[in-house]
Amino acid sequence: MSKNIVEIPFTELVERTSELARERADSESKIRGIVNDFYTREIPRKEDWSFFLVSSAITLIEQYATGTVSANTGATTLTFSSDVAITSSMVGRIVKITGNDYVYRISSMSGSTGAVITPPFSGNQNVTSAAYVIAQPYYSLAEDFDRFPKNGGLINYSGGSEEIVPEKPYQEWATDASYTPVNDPKFCHIIGVDTAGNSILEVNPPAKIAKSLRYDYFIKPKNMRETTAGFVTIEAGSTIVVGSANTTLFTQATTGDYFRVDALGTKADSEWYRIISILHNSSLTLQSAFGLSGVSSAGYTICSAPQMPSKMHPAILYGSLLQLAADQDDQMVQSYNVKLAEVLSDGKRMYKTRNYQQTIHSDAEDFFYRR
């Protein structure tokens, strides 16, 4: 590992992978892709890791049921009474009309008292001045949302305790779904992504009142990145790094990324310093004082590190080597596989959300029963 930290930042992972795999210098872009793929795809899907578990919340939107609505069979437009205030924010919400068995979705506005719906108004009779309700069952989840924990979903507070609003499988959804709004939704499910690529959650029944619900979820880790543009100057014992004017791109990094001067060591000999603030493209502050000697107009690297415990970082190294070794028919495959298994096994004992010592609830769960 590097000289002064236990973490293995992205650039060091790439360099050490390349060195151990005996890759050519021009293979660096391929190795960056393999390292990032193993981190963002392979690691998250192997286990429910506690270090990828975070929380967020959605705010349920109150139903709207002012006035009345009229519609003709086969029509795609609803006409509301004059006391109704239809707004563009209602596009995408559902409409349920008293006396009609169907559920419609508002696809666009039609003047100040009308709405275009899909599918067309169904049933065998028109409605005139009927009661209705407009409700919002669809909500975009956090940008980095990947999946709920096992048996998870939204979290509702009732009587001072938490109650799970569970994620329901698609096969059960149609038989249990109801579109009459209630104060507390009963279940939810994921139904796709919005225009920004965020997962969409449908709650059912939709909310009658406005309220916020927390949810826990596993994140989609973002690709690690690096920047090396321009040159830097820093004095010995200082924490201020000054970049060359108009060439360094410090703002491509974020707080928590790592900085090194390349001439003072690369690969496992790197000396990394954590960044605690970035003022602009040519000024940043390190968490700890720089080493014994300063540098002027030196090449450098700033990169991110895996957002997981440092004990798990070698898994990315060995997993990436496995990908490369398999491609080369390398004899080291067995060794890399064993090392990866060791890291993952140790990690599962410490960082799984469902630990090994869960209580046995039935004979079928007992290892000795099934021998």
Side-chain angles (χ1 to χ4, degrees):
M1 66 178 63
S2 59
K3 296 178 183 178
N4 57 333
I5 60 172
V6 295
E7 294 80 10
I8 312 179
F10 176 47
T11 302
E12 185 178 331
L13 282 167
V14 171
E15 292 171 343
R16 290 170 61 180
T17 299
S18 178
E19 182 179 45
L20 289 170
R22 300 183 298 279
E23 286 282 338
R24 303 190 314 269
D26 60 1
S27 299
E28 190 170 293
S29 61
K30 177 181 78 172
I31 297 173
R32 280 199 296 265
I34 289 174
V35 168
N36 263 327
D37 280 348
F38 198 84
Y39 169 55
T40 61
R41 302 175 191 275
E42 296 296 325
I43 294 290
R45 75 183 186 185
K46 289 186 181 299
E47 301 290 342
D48 287 347
W49 302 110
S50 59
F51 47 77
F52 285 148
L53 185 63
V54 299
S55 295
S56 188
I58 59 173
T59 299
L60 303 182
I61 297 173
E62 184 179 6
Q63 69 172 22
Y64 185 84
T66 300
T68 60
V69 67
S70 300
N72 295 326
T73 298
T76 58
T77 301
L78 301 179
T79 302
F80 295 91
S81 54
S82 59
D83 54 343
V84 176
I86 296 295
T87 67
S88 59
S89 65
M90 295 179 181
V91 172
R93 299 185 194 180
I94 62 167
V95 182
K96 186 74 174 67
I97 300 172
T98 301
N100 188 272
D101 293 331
Y102 296 84
V103 177
Y104 307 94
R105 190 165 182 174
I106 299 176
S107 56
S108 63
M109 310 305 297
S110 178
S112 58
T113 58
V116 178
I117 58 170
T118 183
F121 191 74
S122 304
N124 56 13
Q125 61 182 7
N126 302 334
V127 296
T128 301
S129 299
Y132 72 95
V133 61
I134 294 175
Q136 175 63 285
Y138 310 110
Y139 299 89
S140 293
L141 297 176
E143 178 184 3
D144 59 351
F145 176 90
D146 183 47
R147 64 187 187 277
F148 287 121
K150 184 179 180 181
N151 300 325
L154 296 174
I155 299 172
N156 188 26
Y157 288 92
S158 177
S161 61
E162 293 184 350
E163 293 182 354
I164 298 294
V165 181
E167 182 182 17
K168 179 155 287 192
Y170 177 80
Q171 293 81 356
E172 300 176 17
W173 183 267
T175 56
D176 296 335
S178 169
Y179 291 93
T180 300
V182 297
N183 288 348
D184 297 304
K186 304 302 181 186
F187 49 88
C188 60
H189 74 162
I190 306 294
I191 60 167
V193 296
D194 61 20
T195 55
N198 302 324
S199 296
I200 298 174
L201 183 74
E202 180 176 359
V203 299
N204 193 268
K208 185 175 183 178
I209 61 174
K211 66 184 307 183
S212 292
L213 297 181
R214 196 189 92 224
Y215 62 96
D216 299 330
Y217 67 98
F218 293 104
I219 66 169
K220 296 180 291 189
K222 293 182 179 180
N223 279 346
M224 295 179 284
R225 65 209 178 280
E226 66 180 12
T227 181
T228 60
F231 301 94
V232 297
T233 297
I234 181 171
E235 297 178 359
S238 175
T239 59
I240 305 300
V241 179
V242 178
S244 49
N246 302 319
T247 56
T248 51
L249 301 171
F250 292 168
T251 56
Q252 289 186 350
T254 62
T255 300
D257 285 354
Y258 288 85
F259 166 87
R260 81 175 181 197
V261 173
D262 297 338
L264 300 180
T266 60
K267 304 171 187 174
D269 290 328
S270 300
E271 291 188 359
W272 293 103
Y273 297 86
R274 192 169 183 272
I275 298 169
I276 59 171
S277 69
I278 299 172
L279 183 60
H280 48 65
N281 263 335
S282 56
S283 179
L284 60 81
T285 303
L286 305 178
Q287 186 175 38
S288 56
F290 195 64
L292 297 177
S293 60
V295 295
S296 179
S297 298
Y300 72 99
T301 297
I302 293 175
C303 69
S304 50
Q307 296 301 297
M308 57 187 193
S310 59
K311 292 179 184 295
M312 293 292 295
H313 291 189
I316 302 173
L317 174 63
Y318 296 126
S320 300
L321 284 167
L322 266 177
Q323 301 294 322
L324 290 165
D327 182 51
Q328 298 176 0
D329 196 23
D330 195 315
Q331 296 301 311
M332 291 296 292
V333 167
Q334 182 72 18
S335 175
Y336 297 147
N337 199 33
V338 170
K339 298 299 288 184
L340 174 61
E342 287 177 354
V343 176
L344 293 178
S345 179
D346 289 342
K348 284 188 283 188
R349 283 193 289 270
M350 293 182 285
Y351 305 120
K352 277 186 64 172
T353 59
R354 301 192 303 275
N355 60 44
Y356 291 153
Q357 284 74 39
Q358 284 182 312
T359 302
I360 293 173
H361 298 288
S362 70
D363 286 343
E365 295 178 59
D366 191 340
F367 170 79
F368 292 103
Y369 180 83
R370 305 186 67 183
R371 290 182 66 178

